[in-house]
Amino acid sequence: MPQLPKFHRFRPRLIDSLQGYDRRSALADIGAGITVAVVALPLAMAFAIASGLKPEQGLVTAIVAGFLISALGGSNVQIGGPAGAFIVIVYGILQRYGLTNLLISTALAGVLLVALGALKLGAWVRYIPVTIITGFTNGIAVLIALSQLKDLLGLSIDNMPADFFSQWAALARHLDSFNPAALGLGLVTLGGLFLWPRLWATRPAASLLAQRIAASPAGRVAARMPGPVIALVSMGLLVWGLELPVETIGSRFGSIPHRLPDLALPPFSWESAKQLLIPTVTIALLGAIESLMCARIADNLSDLPRHDANQELMAQGVANIVSPLFGGMPATGTIARTVTNLRAGARTPVAGIVHAVVLLLIVLVGAPLALHVPLPVLAGILLFVAWNMGEWHAFTRLRRFGPADAATLLGTFFLTVVFDLMVAVEVGLIMACVFFIHRMGSLFSVKPHDSPGLPRGVQVFELFGSLFFGAVGKIEELPAQLPSDTHLLVLGMHRLISLDNSGLDALQQLHRSLKKQGIGLVLAQVNEEPLRLIRRSGFDAVLGDDAIVPTLARAFDVRPMPAPAV
């Protein structure tokens, strides 16, 4: 009776973290949770608006998914919620399939993520080459920046298209509605976000006054204030005080609810679900990559226990199943908020739970204040996020990459920008596989053994590397390289590290070809892994008991096979 697969045990990191939990850890987690909530507030609204959704949908996602990812996840400090990487994906799905199907796709992606974690496939995400991850990350950053040009320039575009070239065409058609005040606000916001942390950094080269200000109690408090929050408050007051003619959240979306939406199942039909395979896989794949990449970064920045990849995927899945029930968007681990959580002193998942609770209190109490947030300021914040999201140094170091890695990175980048993420990852993986196969095939070699004193009519070749489907051509060429008086071919396999079925078939074909010419074949010094496949296939019986020998010297004792009768 076949055994059932062993599923990953569902055990949230929170359970282990609460053992021995003390007052010091609680204070650290509460402080970190409040800090992260302040950072998450503007980002959640900005990501939702940029995705074509309402700001409250981003807030709901940050609250519901953020709570579940921290409570059920496999990391001590991971903060979940809406992420910049999803902006382009969500906007495209929304334009093509509508809001209802976006919610269904998100829930189905959640089911897929739970299955991936339960089946212990979390480590598989690490098999995606870093060049593909860098390529699509940079591509998404470019698309995020492009999507914000409308609000940055204050253009009157009712419905922004989803694809790259159509977006440029729409921007060009509506340049006559350019708003200088919006551009000024956006650029001041962007510049301020770059300068804010540098204003309070105590650098040796800074003036004595600057060092004193940075080291003062006010300077230390200011240094801890998140730049996006400072931008929202200061620019919002500026717009209100000067009555600048720019769009705000209130003018575009109206009021923001003071409570969480009612729990509601999106209308589901199997016919529509069958059309959502690509969106579902895209959301699940991106969510898995982003969350596990974020968790690995957090592991490298702290001395806390390393994350459990499978538990993290299951928590991400549950969060994406529940979030659409409240009208939320896809969620994943977020690098900026997770790093902020770490730097604020978080030690356990309690910090992430506090962050979600604080966000809920802000929605219940301060929702009306969000109506005054200027959209060009959110555009500036998202441009800053896009800049930090991209790994732009990879382009400057392309010369240091091999041709295969450079082609994979550039190909994934351009396909992400021009087409979509799923196409980019698919083609990128195909390119990476093809280049890897070519590389491994080129590393396999068949070299003649140049030891003196070989018996007359005996030829010895040594195999190096892996004999697999990408390298069998070098075995097929062997018969043509043998002198006419050859009666025995010996293959030294001590340096052959692996053999697949195609390689085995190539050896069988070689044996049949040599047999027709009356030439014997002996395999010497065969390693354990290739030998297991040879015996399992029965090829050892075809060769004969004395045709697989432990040393080259023993191979020379094998008698030549008689020539076939003509």
Side-chain angles (χ1 to χ4, degrees):
M1 182 176 178
Q3 291 185 343
L4 295 174
K6 293 183 178 179
F7 295 107
H8 184 78
R9 185 181 63 160
F10 189 88
R11 185 177 177 83
R13 182 61 55 87
L14 180 65
I15 296 175
D16 299 323
S17 300
L18 290 179
Q19 296 178 6
Y21 196 68
D22 55 16
R23 180 174 178 271
R24 182 180 179 184
S25 298
L27 291 176
D29 286 338
I30 292 171
I34 294 172
T35 302
V36 176
V38 174
V39 175
L41 177 67
L43 293 179
M45 292 190 296
F47 292 153
I49 293 171
S51 301
L53 300 169
K54 295 180 179 180
E56 59 263 29
Q57 292 176 279
L59 293 172
V60 165
T61 306
I63 295 167
V64 175
F67 177 87
L68 292 172
I69 289 172
S70 293
L72 304 179
S75 169
N76 279 55
V77 293
Q78 175 102 290
I79 299 294
F86 275 125
I87 289 175
V88 179
I89 306 302
V90 172
Y91 190 83
I93 295 173
L94 197 62
Q95 293 294 311
R96 190 174 303 174
Y97 300 99
L99 177 60
T100 298
N101 287 324
L102 169 65
L103 299 178
I104 293 173
S105 294
T106 303
L108 292 176
V111 174
L112 184 56
L113 285 169
V114 171
L116 289 175
L119 294 173
K120 302 181 180 181
L121 300 181
W124 283 31
V125 176
R126 299 177 185 174
Y127 296 158
I128 299 178
V130 68
T131 48
I132 293 178
I133 295 176
T134 302
F136 79 66
T137 301
N138 287 359
I140 289 173
V142 168
L143 291 174
I144 291 174
L146 176 60
S147 70
Q148 295 312 297
L149 292 182
K150 167 183 173 289
D151 287 331
L152 181 71
L153 300 175
L155 304 182
S156 300
I157 303 176
D158 295 330
N159 188 18
M160 193 72 171
D163 63 281
F164 178 75
F165 295 109
S166 297
Q167 285 183 339
W168 278 113
L171 292 171
R173 286 195 306 269
H174 293 84
L175 278 177
D176 56 343
S177 60
F178 166 65
N179 185 342
L183 178 61
L185 278 175
L187 292 180
V188 170
T189 300
L190 183 60
L193 290 173
F194 277 106
L195 290 176
W196 182 256
R198 294 166 176 81
L199 290 176
W200 311 108
T202 54
R203 300 180 300 274
S207 66
L208 182 61
L209 178 60
Q211 292 186 40
R212 286 180 176 176
I213 293 174
S216 66
R220 289 195 294 269
V221 172
R224 295 175 181 173
M225 291 295 293
V229 175
I230 299 299
L232 283 184
V233 174
S234 59
M235 294 297 102
L237 289 174
L238 182 66
V239 170
W240 175 76
L242 299 179
E243 297 183 352
L244 295 178
V246 297
E247 271 196 299
T248 63
I249 288 180
S251 65
R252 180 179 293 182
F253 299 102
S255 62
I256 294 180
H258 296 249
R259 59 183 180 82
L260 289 179
D262 295 330
L263 190 68
L265 289 172
F268 178 84
S269 70
W270 180 243
E271 289 302 318
S272 62
K274 289 190 294 185
Q275 308 299 319
L276 300 175
L277 175 62
I278 297 301
T280 296
V281 174
T282 303
I283 292 172
L285 178 64
L286 184 57
I289 293 173
E290 283 287 310
S291 62
L292 296 186
M293 184 170 63
C294 175
R296 290 179 65 184
I297 291 173
D299 289 344
N300 295 333
L301 293 176
S302 72
D303 57 355
L304 298 171
R306 299 188 68 84
H307 74 282
D308 180 341
N310 296 310
Q311 182 63 41
E312 190 63 32
L313 284 184
M314 287 192 286
Q316 300 286 339
V318 172
N320 280 286
I321 292 171
V322 177
S323 177
L325 301 181
F326 293 92
M329 60 189 292
T332 185
T334 57
I335 294 176
R337 277 159 276 174
T338 298
V339 172
T340 300
N341 192 37
L342 259 176
R343 290 176 177 169
R347 304 298 297 172
T348 74
V350 172
I353 295 173
V354 171
H355 132 270
V357 172
V358 172
L359 277 176
L360 176 60
L361 293 176
I362 292 174
V363 169
L364 295 177
V365 176
L369 296 176
L371 301 179
H372 302 288
V373 173
L375 294 180
V377 174
L378 289 181
I381 292 173
L382 284 178
L383 287 172
F384 182 72
V385 169
W387 175 259
N388 287 329
M389 180 180 175
E391 298 182 39
W392 312 112
H393 60 274
F395 292 126
T396 63
R397 297 196 304 220
L398 279 178
R399 292 183 180 179
R400 303 180 189 177
F401 292 7
D405 287 338
T408 303
L409 191 155
L410 290 175
T412 307
F413 171 76
F414 286 115
L415 287 170
T416 300
V417 171
V418 176
F419 293 98
D420 62 49
L421 173 67
M422 203 63 194
V423 172
V425 172
E426 289 171 354
V427 175
L429 285 173
I430 291 172
M431 292 174 64
C433 290
V434 169
F435 288 135
F436 177 77
I437 291 168
H438 178 266
R439 175 66 175 160
M440 293 301 295
S442 64
L443 290 177
F444 175 76
S445 61
V446 181
K447 297 180 180 179
H449 186 71
D450 54 1
S451 176
L454 289 176
R456 182 178 177 82
V458 175
Q459 297 296 321
V460 180
F461 287 83
E462 292 194 79
L463 308 185
F464 296 82
S466 298
L467 179 52
F468 70 112
F469 63 90
V472 296
K474 296 178 181 179
I475 293 294
E476 295 169 351
E477 297 169 357
L478 263 181
Q481 301 176 23
L482 301 178
S484 58
D485 63 343
T486 302
H487 62 75
L488 181 65
L489 172 64
V490 179
L491 296 181
M493 303 176 69
H494 177 62
R495 294 181 176 86
L496 184 73
I497 59 175
S498 66
L499 176 72
D500 73 351
N501 285 320
S502 296
L504 175 65
D505 182 70
L507 291 177
Q508 293 171 332
Q509 294 283 0
L510 175 65
H511 175 249
R512 285 192 287 267
S513 177
L514 294 175
K515 187 174 181 180
K516 292 179 182 178
Q517 303 175 46
I519 301 174
L521 175 64
V522 174
L523 309 181
Q525 299 174 296
V526 186
N527 286 316
E528 184 62 28
E529 192 273 336
L531 186 59
R532 276 201 304 268
L533 180 59
I534 289 172
R535 287 174 173 166
R536 193 164 59 243
S537 67
F539 185 44
D540 57 334
V542 175
L543 287 173
D545 295 336
D546 58 350
I548 299 178
V549 295
T551 64
L552 285 175
R554 289 279 301 275
F556 305 145
D557 298 334
V558 177
R559 295 183 179 182
M561 297 190 65
V566 180

